[in-house]
Every structure is written in C-alpha cells, then in structure tokens.
Amino acid sequence: MLLEDRSREYVEARVRAGVMEQDVADLLVETGAGERVVREGLVHHGIELQFASERHRIPLSELAGGRAIVIYGQTELVKDLIRLRLDGDRPLHFDVEEVSVHDLESDGPLVRYRHEGLGAELRCDVIAGCDGFHGVCRPSVPHGVLSEFSREYAFGWLGILAAVAPSNGELVYAHHERGFALLSLRSPDLSRLYIQCRPDEDLAEWPDDRIWEELQTRLSLEGWTLAEGPVLEKGVTGMRSYVCEPMRHGRLFLAGDAAHIVPPTGAKGLNLALRDVRVLADAIVDWYRSGSTTGLDAYSDTCLRRIWRAEHFSWWMTHMLHRPDGSDAFDLKLQLSELAYITRSEAAATSLAENYVGLELV
Ligand code: DHB
C-alpha cells in the first residue's frame, strides 16, 4: 500500500529538480519505469562553470569513465511512477489525512490514516518512511534514538521555468559577485533558471522583468545572449544540509528527504532518494525470499556512505559558487582560485565530475 497526503494533481504539477545520474536513469529502466526517460530524457556529457566572465567546460563523461547525466524533470518521473503503479492495479491512495505510525519496534508496525472520510489501519511487515523532511515518520521515532547533523545556509534559490529554448546546450553554473546563477533546462523548449537569493525572499518583489535582468547580469558573457520567454512557474527553494542516523528504527525505514537533505547545488536530492529506495527494495525482497535480514540490517550504513559523500559534495559546490552576505574579498579570492584550479587541473576536474555523475562506492 502506498499512501500520499497530497492530491494527484498537486504532486504531478509541482516543479522539482531535473538532473539524474546515469545509474539512476538506468535503474528506472531496469524497474520498468524508464520508457519515457529513455525517449524524452536529454543525455548530457558535460557542464559548464562560469566565473570571472569566462565559461569553462567540464567534460563529465571523459573524466568519469564514460558516465553521463540525464535531464528529466522529477515532476515527469512522478507522473511515470504513478501511472505504472495504477496500471498494475496496485494500491495507491492520494489525499490521505491524519497519518500516524505505531508499534515500530514490533514485528507488525501499524499505520493509521483517514481516506475519503473513513478511518483505516494497516498492519505491516515494514514501513518505508518516504514522506519527506516534514513528514510524520521521522518524528515518530522515540526521542534520543536518532542523531541529527545539519547546516543552514544564509541564502536560497529563486527558480523559474520559462517557455523558451535553453540558450546553452549544457548546464551553466555561474559564480558572480552579485551571487550564484544557474542555467538549466527541462526540454528543447523549456528553460529552468535559478538565482541565489535570500532564504526568505519575497516573490512579490520579483516581477519577471527583474528576474530576467538579474539572470542577464549574472550569466552575461561576451558574444552570447540569454533568450527570455514567458515565465510559467516561479518559486523560492530553501537551502539546508541535514542527515539523521541511523535511517531505521525497528521496522520503520526512512528514505529520501525523510532522512536527509542536501542543498540543491549539484542536484543530488532526487538521486539519493531513488538510490535509498533501491537498496531498501532489494533488502525487502531478499528478506521475503530467503528470510535473511542481512540486507535490512545493512540498509542504513549502506545508504549513509553514499549520502555523506553527496552531503560533502553539495556543501562544497554550494560554498564554491555562492556569495553569502558579508563575505569579504578574501573569500572571493579563495572561490576564484578554487574554480580556476578545477578548470586547469584534470585531477580537480575529475573529482568534480565523478561526484557529479554519481560515484560508485564499493
Ligand atoms: C537543476 C537543479 C539543480 O539543483 C542543479 O544543480 C542543476 C539543475 C534543475 O532543476 O534543472
């Protein structure tokens, strides 16, 4: 049984991230959810870093053993997964209310919820808590069991989706004295763009013209123009790093944002969530087939190795590219030196590339 407290319309419309590690796209194909990713996903073999008024390409695939990234909106993936589940006549309830989890330390943990006005109870073998950072699962673990590690950032991202062909063939991560900017895309005629802003930025102060003006300034490059188009969606994303350990209590297994958050720089959130779910699914299948709990017992440690690598990578990318209020000339010089190092040293560029496409941690 799959429970979702939002409506189908809401989850299928919410604009989220859009960069998938190749292994994650392959995983979707393997599980039968990849048909549209393969057809419509855009395979990219590099990204660009812009700083000091110049752009430098990082050839990801060349540096990272041929692996690439796939541009495909999380929103589209959510639609694909919902359709697959409903086509298979497997239960999925939207708009559930008052969800709570109980008896986590027993062999039969319980989920209570309301659906279409009626109270319901589900006695389970395991509960996968995939209910996000603000969900009910993590807070249901008794106090003192989980250790939490976190970092707040003094900025956010203001993002837009615009009906205009992307002005560049590859993603551009731009360092600028006025703050970070990112040029991304969703399809050949949909651009996705972000600018660094305050975490509590008021969207009312950002009419479309002002957003484009800021993007033009931060992404400007001699001999290149940023094409503008109608803004279809805009929003502010907060930035936070967070991990809780372990990702399990009794028969409750936390996955994705319920257990960890990365700042968006580097686009790791969706990838980590899908990889958690993969490890958990394999462990559950193995348990049903063989009776062995080895996979379930290793779940948290297995996932946390990858998660901490991504936590570091996202934190590092964030610090290298953003200009916090109050940062001084020394900070600026360090950032520029690091960016120059990445574009001049194959070792440094390789480190970025292998983390960006998704490191295999044996
Ligand atoms: C996108 C988001 C990211 O966080 C990122 O690093 C690159 C691209 C996006 O939404 O397209």
Side-chain angles (χ1 to χ4, degrees):
M1 172 63 80
L2 213 158
L3 302 177
E4 167 60 58
D5 68 356
R6 301 286 190 158
S7 68
R8 182 171 182 182
E9 296 69 34
Y10 177 89
V11 297
E12 290 192 347
R14 194 173 173 211
V15 180
R16 309 297 307 276
V19 179
M20 248 180 241
E21 297 167 357
Q22 187 185 317
D23 286 356
V24 168
D26 292 347
L27 163 67
L28 295 174
V29 174
E30 210 182 294
T31 52
E35 192 201 323
R36 211 154 60 93
V37 178
V38 168
R39 209 173 51 229
E40 296 175 26
L42 304 169
V43 178
H44 281 201
H45 297 284
I47 56 168
E48 297 191 30
L49 291 180
Q50 177 169 334
F51 57 97
S53 306
E54 284 179 8
R55 244 173 234 177
H56 305 261
R57 181 167 192 265
I58 307 294
L60 297 174
S61 301
E62 244 172 67
L63 296 169
R67 275 181 292 161
I69 52 167
V70 182
I71 310 297
Y72 189 71
Q74 180 173 331
T75 317
E76 300 311 307
L77 172 62
V78 165
K79 288 183 202 164
D80 296 345
L81 293 173
I82 291 170
R83 193 168 329 104
L84 194 66
R85 180 138 187 118
L86 296 180
D87 284 353
D89 280 334
R90 282 168 302 162
L92 161 53
H93 290 332
F94 291 100
D95 301 303
V96 297
E97 295 170 302
E98 298 173 32
V99 180
S100 58
V101 294
H102 310 269
D103 306 340
L104 302 178
E105 288 152 54
S106 76
D107 290 346
L110 181 74
V111 183
R112 287 207 180 96
Y113 62 99
R114 291 187 73 76
H115 182 54
E116 294 175 346
L118 297 175
E121 284 195 354
L122 265 182
R123 196 52 82 178
C124 309
D125 289 333
V126 293
I127 299 173
C130 311
D131 54 346
F133 187 69
H134 299 288
V136 298
C137 287
R138 194 180 66 255
S140 303
V141 175
H143 187 71
V145 169
L146 302 178
S147 302
E148 298 181 289
F149 307 87
S150 65
R151 189 68 86 222
E152 299 280 334
Y153 298 85
F155 34 78
W157 279 11
L158 194 166
I160 60 167
L161 187 69
V164 59
S167 297
N168 197 57
E170 294 180 328
L171 271 64
V172 181
Y173 286 82
H175 175 281
H176 191 276
E177 283 191 37
R178 293 180 59 83
F180 172 70
L182 172 61
L183 183 160
S184 180
L185 67 156
R186 284 293 174 276
S187 72
D189 26 57
L190 272 183
S191 295
R192 179 81 172 142
L193 299 128
Y194 299 95
I195 46 175
Q196 175 189 336
C197 64
R198 293 195 315 268
D200 57 350
E201 196 76 53
D202 181 3
L203 271 179
E205 291 173 19
W206 286 90
D208 298 356
D209 286 355
R210 183 175 171 209
I211 298 175
W212 284 117
E213 197 180 310
E214 198 59 40
L215 283 165
Q216 293 288 2
T217 304
R218 297 189 195 183
L219 288 166
S220 79
L221 187 71
E222 224 184 293
W224 177 86
T225 42
L226 173 66
E228 301 184 9
V231 174
L232 305 177
E233 198 266 351
K234 64 178 136 174
V236 173
T237 312
M239 310 264 275
R240 170 189 279 138
S241 299
Y242 173 89
V243 181
C244 81
E245 299 185 3
M247 291 164 61
R248 168 191 192 171
H249 180 62
R251 291 285 183 91
L252 170 69
F253 295 83
L254 300 172
D257 285 10
H260 46 81
I261 299 280
V262 286
T265 335
K268 288 290 162 216
L270 166 66
N271 292 291
L272 286 179
L274 288 172
R275 288 187 187 256
D276 285 355
V277 170
R278 172 58 188 269
V279 175
L280 183 56
D282 284 350
I284 293 172
V285 169
D286 188 44
W287 176 49
Y288 279 131
R289 286 211 178 118
S290 70
S292 162
T293 60
T294 310
L296 289 175
D297 294 339
Y299 169 72
S300 180
D301 287 345
T302 304
C303 292
L304 283 166
R305 274 195 296 278
R306 170 179 302 285
I307 289 159
W308 275 112
R309 178 85 300 281
E311 288 288 344
H312 176 267
F313 176 66
S314 310
W315 168 90
W316 171 76
M317 284 278 278
T318 300
H319 279 284
M320 180 170 69
L321 290 162
H322 292 71
R323 301 286 305 142
D325 278 350
S327 65
D328 59 15
F330 185 81
D331 295 328
L332 178 61
K333 291 285 186 190
L334 288 184
Q335 287 180 325
L336 293 172
S337 169
E338 184 151 40
L339 285 159
Y341 176 51
I342 290 167
T343 58
R344 289 192 199 125
S345 154
E346 189 170 315
T350 302
S351 170
L352 188 157
E354 67 181 6
N355 279 281
Y356 198 93
V357 302
L359 204 56
E360 268 325 300
L361 297 175
V362 182

